[in-house]
Amino acid sequence: MRRLFLTFMLGVCLSGQGWSQQQRQIIVSNSDTYDRKEIVVIPYENFVQHFQVDSIFTVRDTKGQVIVHQLEKLGQQKPQHVLLQVAVPAGQQQVLHVAPEAAPAVASKTYARYVPERLDDFAWENDVVAFRLYGKALEGHKDDAQGMDYWAKRTDRLIIDHWYKTNDYHKDHGEGLDYYSVGQTLGAGDMALFLDKEVQYTWHYRGHQVLDNGPLRTTFRLDYEPQVIKGQRVAFQKTISLDAGSNFNKIQIDLNNKDRQRTPIVVGVAKRKEDNPALTVAADGSTLAYWEPDMDGHGRTGVALILPFKGAKYHPDRKEQALLATHIDNGTPFIYYNGAAWDRAGKITTAQQWNDAVEAFKHRVKSPLTVHLK
Protein backbone atom coordinates (compact mmCIF):
# COMPACT_ATOMS: atom_id res chain seq x y z
CA MET A 1 0.00 0.00 0.00
CA ARG A 2 2.84 2.41 0.86
CA ARG A 3 4.55 1.64 -2.47
CA LEU A 4 1.31 2.36 -4.37
CA PHE A 5 0.89 5.64 -2.50
CA LEU A 6 4.45 6.75 -3.32
CA THR A 7 4.00 5.78 -6.93
CA PHE A 8 0.77 7.78 -7.09
CA MET A 9 2.36 10.86 -5.50
CA LEU A 10 5.37 10.67 -7.85
CA GLY A 11 3.00 10.55 -10.81
CA VAL A 12 1.14 13.59 -9.52
CA CYS A 13 4.39 15.52 -9.06
CA LEU A 14 5.67 14.65 -12.55
CA SER A 15 2.32 15.47 -14.10
CA GLY A 16 2.23 18.77 -12.24
CA GLN A 17 5.78 19.57 -13.35
CA GLY A 18 4.93 18.88 -17.01
CA TRP A 19 1.68 20.90 -16.74
CA SER A 20 3.59 23.81 -15.14
CA GLN A 21 6.19 23.85 -17.92
CA GLN A 22 3.47 23.81 -20.57
CA GLN A 23 1.92 26.96 -19.08
CA ARG A 24 5.06 28.86 -20.01
CA GLN A 25 4.66 30.11 -23.52
CA ILE A 26 6.40 31.54 -26.53
CA ILE A 27 4.18 34.21 -28.03
CA VAL A 28 5.05 35.32 -31.57
CA SER A 29 3.12 38.37 -32.79
CA ASN A 30 2.50 39.68 -36.28
CA SER A 31 1.31 43.30 -36.37
CA ASP A 32 1.26 43.46 -40.17
CA THR A 33 -1.81 43.31 -42.40
CA TYR A 34 -0.54 40.21 -44.24
CA ASP A 35 0.45 36.70 -43.20
CA ARG A 36 4.10 36.02 -42.41
CA LYS A 37 6.16 32.85 -42.23
CA GLU A 38 9.76 33.20 -41.17
CA ILE A 39 12.40 32.25 -38.65
CA VAL A 40 12.46 33.89 -35.23
CA VAL A 41 15.48 33.96 -32.94
CA ILE A 42 15.55 33.48 -29.15
CA PRO A 43 18.79 33.71 -27.12
CA TYR A 44 19.61 30.19 -25.94
CA GLU A 45 20.37 31.11 -22.32
CA ASN A 46 17.08 32.97 -21.97
CA PHE A 47 15.23 30.04 -23.47
CA VAL A 48 16.67 27.28 -21.25
CA GLN A 49 16.32 29.35 -18.08
CA HIS A 50 12.75 30.31 -18.83
CA PHE A 51 11.56 26.81 -19.73
CA GLN A 52 13.92 24.93 -17.38
CA VAL A 53 15.15 22.60 -20.11
CA ASP A 54 18.52 21.70 -21.57
CA SER A 55 19.28 21.20 -25.26
CA ILE A 56 16.66 18.43 -25.57
CA PHE A 57 13.12 19.75 -26.02
CA THR A 58 10.16 19.89 -28.38
CA VAL A 59 8.15 22.97 -29.37
CA ARG A 60 4.47 22.61 -30.27
CA ASP A 61 1.63 24.91 -31.20
CA THR A 62 -1.75 24.94 -29.45
CA LYS A 63 -2.98 22.12 -31.71
CA GLY A 64 -0.07 19.90 -30.70
CA GLN A 65 1.75 20.21 -34.01
CA VAL A 66 5.55 20.14 -33.73
CA ILE A 67 7.32 23.40 -34.64
CA VAL A 68 10.75 22.68 -36.12
CA HIS A 69 13.62 24.27 -34.24
CA GLN A 70 17.38 24.56 -34.58
CA LEU A 71 20.08 25.23 -32.01
CA GLU A 72 22.24 27.82 -33.74
CA LYS A 73 25.87 27.58 -32.60
CA LEU A 74 27.61 30.07 -34.93
CA GLY A 75 30.73 27.92 -34.81
CA GLN A 76 30.78 27.71 -30.99
CA GLN A 77 30.60 24.60 -28.81
CA LYS A 78 27.54 25.87 -26.97
CA PRO A 79 24.29 26.91 -28.65
CA GLN A 80 23.84 30.66 -29.05
CA HIS A 81 20.22 30.86 -30.22
CA VAL A 82 17.08 28.83 -30.61
CA LEU A 83 15.64 29.22 -34.11
CA LEU A 84 11.95 28.55 -34.81
CA GLN A 85 10.18 28.65 -38.15
CA VAL A 86 6.69 29.99 -37.48
CA ALA A 87 3.70 31.07 -39.52
CA VAL A 88 1.59 33.88 -38.04
CA PRO A 89 -1.57 35.21 -39.71
CA ALA A 90 -2.00 38.95 -40.21
CA GLY A 91 -2.63 40.83 -36.97
CA GLN A 92 -2.53 37.69 -34.86
CA GLN A 93 -0.33 35.74 -32.47
CA GLN A 94 1.10 32.24 -32.52
CA VAL A 95 1.25 30.64 -29.06
CA LEU A 96 3.81 27.86 -28.59
CA HIS A 97 4.63 25.47 -25.75
CA VAL A 98 7.87 23.70 -24.83
CA ALA A 99 8.13 20.14 -23.51
CA PRO A 100 11.33 18.49 -22.14
CA GLU A 101 11.36 15.65 -24.65
CA ALA A 102 13.38 14.78 -27.73
CA ALA A 103 12.13 16.44 -30.90
CA PRO A 104 11.42 14.22 -33.93
CA ALA A 105 14.07 14.09 -36.63
CA VAL A 106 13.48 16.41 -39.60
CA ALA A 107 15.05 16.76 -43.02
CA SER A 108 17.30 19.76 -43.41
CA LYS A 109 16.08 22.59 -45.63
CA THR A 110 19.45 24.40 -45.86
CA TYR A 111 22.93 23.22 -46.76
CA ALA A 112 26.42 24.49 -47.62
CA ARG A 113 29.74 22.90 -48.45
CA TYR A 114 33.19 23.41 -49.91
CA VAL A 115 33.44 21.80 -53.36
CA PRO A 116 37.10 20.91 -54.00
CA GLU A 117 36.18 18.69 -56.95
CA ARG A 118 35.01 21.80 -58.86
CA LEU A 119 37.98 24.14 -58.50
CA ASP A 120 37.33 25.31 -54.91
CA ASP A 121 33.70 26.33 -55.36
CA PHE A 122 31.74 27.07 -52.20
CA ALA A 123 28.04 26.35 -52.71
CA TRP A 124 24.96 26.78 -50.54
CA GLU A 125 21.20 26.39 -50.90
CA ASN A 126 17.82 26.07 -49.25
CA ASP A 127 14.48 24.72 -50.43
CA VAL A 128 14.05 27.72 -52.77
CA VAL A 129 17.38 28.95 -54.16
CA ALA A 130 21.05 28.00 -54.57
CA PHE A 131 24.26 30.05 -54.91
CA ARG A 132 28.01 29.66 -55.16
CA LEU A 133 31.18 31.70 -54.84
CA TYR A 134 34.52 30.93 -56.43
CA GLY A 135 37.79 29.88 -54.82
CA LYS A 136 41.51 30.12 -55.45
CA ALA A 137 41.75 27.18 -57.85
CA LEU A 138 39.58 28.98 -60.41
CA GLU A 139 41.91 31.99 -60.66
CA GLY A 140 43.59 32.06 -64.05
CA HIS A 141 41.30 29.31 -65.34
CA LYS A 142 39.52 29.86 -68.66
CA ASP A 143 36.17 29.80 -66.84
CA ASP A 144 37.20 32.25 -64.12
CA ALA A 145 34.47 34.64 -62.99
CA GLN A 146 34.26 37.30 -60.30
CA GLY A 147 30.94 37.59 -58.51
CA MET A 148 28.24 35.40 -56.97
CA ASP A 149 26.56 32.74 -59.07
CA TYR A 150 22.89 31.76 -58.81
CA TRP A 151 21.43 28.35 -59.58
CA ALA A 152 17.78 28.35 -60.69
CA LYS A 153 15.80 25.72 -58.76
CA ARG A 154 12.22 24.54 -59.06
CA THR A 155 12.33 21.80 -56.47
CA ASP A 156 12.33 22.01 -52.68
CA ARG A 157 14.89 19.21 -52.51
CA LEU A 158 18.55 19.98 -51.81
CA ILE A 159 20.36 19.54 -55.11
CA ILE A 160 23.96 20.73 -54.70
CA ASP A 161 25.55 17.32 -54.15
CA HIS A 162 23.51 15.68 -56.90
CA TRP A 163 24.19 18.38 -59.47
CA TYR A 164 27.92 18.40 -58.80
CA LYS A 165 28.03 14.60 -58.94
CA THR A 166 26.31 14.39 -62.31
CA ASN A 167 28.14 17.46 -63.65
CA ASP A 168 25.17 18.10 -65.91
CA TYR A 169 23.64 21.15 -64.25
CA HIS A 170 23.58 23.37 -67.34
CA LYS A 171 20.55 21.40 -68.56
CA ASP A 172 17.15 21.35 -66.88
CA HIS A 173 16.16 17.79 -65.99
CA GLY A 174 13.09 18.88 -64.07
CA GLU A 175 14.79 20.40 -61.01
CA GLY A 176 16.25 23.53 -62.61
CA LEU A 177 19.67 24.44 -63.94
CA ASP A 178 22.63 26.81 -63.84
CA TYR A 179 22.08 29.27 -66.65
CA TYR A 180 22.96 32.50 -64.82
CA SER A 181 26.02 34.24 -66.28
CA VAL A 182 28.47 35.98 -63.92
CA GLY A 183 31.57 36.69 -65.98
CA GLN A 184 33.56 39.77 -65.00
CA THR A 185 30.78 41.26 -62.88
CA LEU A 186 29.48 40.99 -59.32
CA GLY A 187 26.88 38.52 -60.54
CA ALA A 188 23.86 38.03 -58.28
CA GLY A 189 24.87 40.49 -55.57
CA ASP A 190 28.51 40.30 -54.55
CA MET A 191 30.79 43.03 -53.10
CA ALA A 192 33.95 44.65 -54.47
CA LEU A 193 36.26 47.51 -53.53
CA PHE A 194 35.53 50.84 -55.23
CA LEU A 195 38.83 52.69 -55.25
CA ASP A 196 39.28 55.74 -57.47
CA LYS A 197 35.62 55.22 -58.40
CA GLU A 198 36.44 52.02 -60.22
CA VAL A 199 35.42 48.47 -59.35
CA GLN A 200 38.45 46.64 -57.96
CA TYR A 201 38.02 42.87 -57.79
CA THR A 202 40.01 41.00 -55.16
CA TRP A 203 41.36 37.48 -55.12
CA HIS A 204 38.83 34.73 -54.60
CA TYR A 205 38.33 33.36 -51.09
CA ARG A 206 41.13 31.37 -49.45
CA GLY A 207 39.61 29.94 -46.28
CA HIS A 208 36.18 28.61 -45.36
CA GLN A 209 34.28 27.48 -42.27
CA VAL A 210 30.73 26.19 -41.94
CA LEU A 211 29.30 27.62 -38.71
CA ASP A 212 25.84 25.99 -38.87
CA ASN A 213 24.31 23.66 -41.43
CA GLY A 214 20.55 23.43 -41.04
CA PRO A 215 17.92 22.33 -40.68
CA LEU A 216 16.51 25.91 -40.69
CA ARG A 217 19.56 28.11 -41.22
CA THR A 218 22.97 27.60 -42.75
CA THR A 219 25.78 30.03 -41.95
CA PHE A 220 29.37 29.97 -43.20
CA ARG A 221 32.40 32.22 -43.31
CA LEU A 222 34.82 32.86 -46.17
CA ASP A 223 38.25 34.44 -45.66
CA TYR A 224 39.88 36.76 -48.19
CA GLU A 225 43.63 37.20 -47.72
CA PRO A 226 45.36 40.59 -47.39
CA GLN A 227 45.95 42.13 -50.80
CA VAL A 228 47.44 45.47 -51.87
CA ILE A 229 45.14 47.29 -54.29
CA LYS A 230 45.73 50.92 -55.28
CA GLY A 231 48.29 51.22 -52.49
CA GLN A 232 45.86 49.98 -49.82
CA ARG A 233 46.35 46.68 -47.98
CA VAL A 234 42.91 45.18 -47.48
CA ALA A 235 41.64 41.89 -46.04
CA PHE A 236 38.08 40.85 -45.21
CA GLN A 237 35.68 38.08 -44.26
CA LYS A 238 32.23 37.30 -45.58
CA THR A 239 29.74 35.63 -43.24
CA ILE A 240 26.69 34.45 -45.16
CA SER A 241 23.42 33.04 -43.79
CA LEU A 242 20.48 31.54 -45.67
CA ASP A 243 17.18 30.60 -44.00
CA ALA A 244 14.75 27.90 -45.04
CA GLY A 245 12.05 29.22 -47.35
CA SER A 246 13.84 32.48 -48.13
CA ASN A 247 15.01 33.91 -51.45
CA PHE A 248 17.52 36.15 -49.66
CA ASN A 249 20.96 35.78 -48.10
CA LYS A 250 22.20 37.84 -45.18
CA ILE A 251 25.81 38.90 -45.84
CA GLN A 252 28.14 40.44 -43.28
CA ILE A 253 31.47 41.91 -44.38
CA ASP A 254 34.21 42.46 -41.79
CA LEU A 255 36.93 44.47 -43.49
CA ASN A 256 40.36 45.64 -42.33
CA ASN A 257 42.23 48.28 -44.31
CA LYS A 258 45.76 48.83 -42.99
CA ASP A 259 46.04 52.18 -44.75
CA ARG A 260 42.60 53.77 -44.37
CA GLN A 261 39.92 53.84 -41.69
CA ARG A 262 37.16 53.93 -44.30
CA THR A 263 37.07 51.89 -47.52
CA PRO A 264 34.78 52.65 -50.47
CA ILE A 265 32.93 49.58 -51.75
CA VAL A 266 30.14 48.62 -54.14
CA VAL A 267 27.59 45.85 -54.15
CA GLY A 268 26.08 45.01 -57.50
CA VAL A 269 24.33 42.71 -59.94
CA ALA A 270 25.11 41.82 -63.55
CA LYS A 271 23.08 43.54 -66.26
CA ARG A 272 22.11 41.96 -69.56
CA LYS A 273 22.18 43.56 -73.00
CA GLU A 274 18.79 45.26 -73.28
CA ASP A 275 17.68 48.78 -74.10
CA ASN A 276 15.31 49.30 -71.18
CA PRO A 277 16.21 47.00 -68.29
CA ALA A 278 13.50 46.27 -65.73
CA LEU A 279 15.60 47.82 -63.01
CA THR A 280 14.07 49.44 -59.91
CA VAL A 281 16.23 51.42 -57.46
CA ALA A 282 14.89 53.02 -54.27
CA ALA A 283 15.42 56.78 -54.01
CA ASP A 284 17.44 56.32 -50.81
CA GLY A 285 19.58 53.53 -52.28
CA SER A 286 18.21 50.93 -49.89
CA THR A 287 17.04 48.48 -52.57
CA LEU A 288 17.89 47.52 -56.12
CA ALA A 289 15.73 44.98 -57.96
CA TYR A 290 16.37 43.70 -61.48
CA TRP A 291 14.07 41.45 -63.52
CA GLU A 292 16.20 39.98 -66.26
CA PRO A 293 15.08 39.24 -69.81
CA ASP A 294 14.62 35.63 -70.92
CA MET A 295 18.05 34.08 -71.38
CA ASP A 296 18.30 31.56 -74.25
CA GLY A 297 14.84 30.22 -73.57
CA HIS A 298 15.66 29.22 -69.98
CA GLY A 299 13.33 31.72 -68.31
CA ARG A 300 13.69 34.96 -66.38
CA THR A 301 15.67 35.61 -63.22
CA GLY A 302 15.09 38.28 -60.62
CA VAL A 303 18.07 39.48 -58.60
CA ALA A 304 18.15 42.10 -55.87
CA LEU A 305 20.16 43.97 -53.27
CA ILE A 306 18.85 45.25 -49.96
CA LEU A 307 20.83 47.70 -47.82
CA PRO A 308 18.72 48.36 -44.71
CA PHE A 309 20.05 51.88 -44.25
CA LYS A 310 20.12 55.11 -46.22
CA GLY A 311 23.03 56.64 -48.04
CA ALA A 312 24.08 54.19 -50.77
CA LYS A 313 24.48 55.81 -54.18
CA TYR A 314 23.31 54.22 -57.41
CA HIS A 315 25.71 54.37 -60.39
CA PRO A 316 23.54 54.33 -63.54
CA ASP A 317 26.43 54.74 -65.97
CA ARG A 318 27.69 51.15 -65.81
CA LYS A 319 26.59 49.10 -68.80
CA GLU A 320 27.68 45.69 -67.55
CA GLN A 321 26.34 45.88 -64.00
CA ALA A 322 24.13 47.86 -61.64
CA LEU A 323 26.01 49.19 -58.61
CA LEU A 324 25.19 50.65 -55.21
CA ALA A 325 28.21 52.47 -53.74
CA THR A 326 28.85 52.98 -50.04
CA HIS A 327 31.73 52.38 -47.60
CA ILE A 328 32.92 50.14 -44.78
CA ASP A 329 34.66 51.42 -41.65
CA ASN A 330 37.34 49.28 -40.02
CA GLY A 331 35.93 47.37 -37.06
CA THR A 332 32.31 47.95 -38.06
CA PRO A 333 30.44 45.02 -39.63
CA PHE A 334 28.73 45.90 -42.92
CA ILE A 335 25.48 43.99 -43.42
CA TYR A 336 23.43 43.74 -46.57
CA TYR A 337 21.13 41.22 -48.26
CA ASN A 338 20.96 39.79 -51.73
CA GLY A 339 18.46 37.47 -53.33
CA ALA A 340 17.21 35.80 -56.47
CA ALA A 341 14.13 34.16 -57.97
CA TRP A 342 13.33 32.20 -61.13
CA ASP A 343 10.01 32.56 -62.92
CA ARG A 344 9.85 28.85 -63.80
CA ALA A 345 9.81 27.94 -60.12
CA GLY A 346 6.25 29.25 -60.33
CA LYS A 347 6.14 31.46 -57.22
CA ILE A 348 7.47 34.79 -58.52
CA THR A 349 6.78 35.21 -62.23
CA THR A 350 6.71 38.96 -62.97
CA ALA A 351 8.83 42.04 -62.34
CA GLN A 352 6.10 43.51 -60.12
CA GLN A 353 5.94 40.38 -57.99
CA TRP A 354 9.71 40.47 -57.61
CA ASN A 355 9.68 44.15 -56.62
CA ASP A 356 6.95 43.40 -54.08
CA ALA A 357 8.95 40.48 -52.65
CA VAL A 358 12.03 42.68 -52.26
CA GLU A 359 10.07 45.40 -50.46
CA ALA A 360 8.36 42.85 -48.22
CA PHE A 361 11.72 41.34 -47.25
CA LYS A 362 13.16 44.78 -46.49
CA HIS A 363 10.21 45.36 -44.21
CA ARG A 364 10.80 42.02 -42.43
CA VAL A 365 14.43 42.97 -41.84
CA LYS A 366 13.44 46.28 -40.29
CA SER A 367 10.37 44.95 -38.43
CA PRO A 368 10.83 41.29 -37.45
CA LEU A 369 8.07 39.32 -35.78
CA THR A 370 8.07 40.05 -32.06
CA VAL A 371 8.79 37.23 -29.61
CA HIS A 372 7.80 37.19 -25.95
CA LEU A 373 8.53 34.46 -23.39
CA LYS A 374 5.63 34.28 -20.96
Side-chain angles (χ1 to χ4, degrees), residues 329-343:
D329 292 323
N330 288 348
T332 301
F334 173 81
I335 295 174
Y336 75 101
Y337 301 81
N338 77 315
W342 184 38
D343 65 344

Side-chain angles (χ1 to χ4, degrees), residues 151-153 163 169-172 175-179 298 342:
W151 282 4
K153 289 177 58 173
W163 285 17
Y169 47 82
H170 295 289
K171 296 180 181 179
D172 185 358
E175 296 178 325
L177 75 162
D178 171 24
Y179 77 90
H298 294 309
W342 184 38

Side-chain angles (χ1 to χ4, degrees), residues 59-79:
V59 181
R60 289 187 173 88
D61 63 17
T62 54
K63 297 180 180 179
Q65 297 295 315
V66 173
I67 303 299
V68 177
H69 74 270
Q70 176 182 334
L71 299 181
E72 184 182 40
K73 294 186 175 181
L74 295 175
Q76 305 297 313
Q77 291 294 322
K78 187 176 181 179

Side-chain angles (χ1 to χ4, degrees), residues 6 24 30 43 49 86 108 143 147 169 176 183 189 195 243 270 311 313 331-332 355:
L6 289 174
R24 298 182 180 181
N30 175 12
Q49 290 177 16
V86 295
S108 183
D143 296 326
Y169 47 82
L195 307 181
D243 288 352
K313 181 181 179 181
T332 301
N355 290 342

Side-chain angles (χ1 to χ4, degrees), residues 44 55-57 69-73 79-83 212:
Y44 178 75
S55 60
I56 299 176
F57 59 86
H69 74 270
Q70 176 182 334
L71 299 181
E72 184 182 40
K73 294 186 175 181
Q80 304 298 301
H81 303 106
V82 176
L83 309 180
D212 289 285

Side-chain angles (χ1 to χ4, degrees), residues 29-34 36 88-92 363 367-370:
S29 302
N30 175 12
S31 61
D32 286 322
T33 57
Y34 53 88
R36 290 174 61 169
V88 189
Q92 297 186 33
H363 173 73
S367 301
L369 295 174
T370 58

Side-chain angles (χ1 to χ4, degrees), residues 185-309:
T185 74
L186 292 171
D190 206 2
M191 183 276 296
L193 306 183
F194 197 53
L195 307 181
D196 295 339
K197 296 186 178 181
E198 292 294 333
V199 177
Q200 307 289 340
Y201 298 115
T202 64
W203 293 324
H204 298 330
Y205 82 88
R206 295 299 194 257
H208 57 88
Q209 181 184 4
V210 176
L211 305 179
D212 289 285
N213 220 354
L216 295 177
R217 174 178 293 170
T218 285
T219 302
F220 60 93
R221 180 178 297 130
L222 301 178
D223 297 315
Y224 292 74
E225 289 184 347
Q227 184 178 0
V228 178
I229 299 179
K230 294 286 185 177
Q232 300 182 39
R233 184 175 178 83
V234 179
F236 58 94
Q237 291 181 326
K238 294 177 185 175
T239 304
I240 300 177
S241 296
L242 179 62
D243 288 352
S246 178
N247 291 80
F248 299 90
N249 297 297
K250 177 182 179 181
I251 303 176
Q252 176 175 315
I253 309 293
D254 292 278
L255 185 145
N256 183 21
N257 187 334
K258 296 294 185 181
D259 299 284
R260 300 286 191 278
Q261 174 60 32
R262 173 170 290 185
T263 304
I265 62 123
V266 288
V267 293
V269 299
K271 289 168 62 177
R272 309 308 174 191
K273 294 180 179 179
E274 53 185 328
D275 293 333
N276 297 297
L279 187 66
T280 303
V281 183
D284 61 2
S286 61
T287 60
L288 183 155
Y290 178 38
W291 188 249
E292 293 191 351
D294 180 272
M295 302 298 291
D296 300 323
H298 294 309
R300 305 187 70 165
T301 295
V303 290
L305 299 165
I306 300 171
L307 283 65
F309 53 83

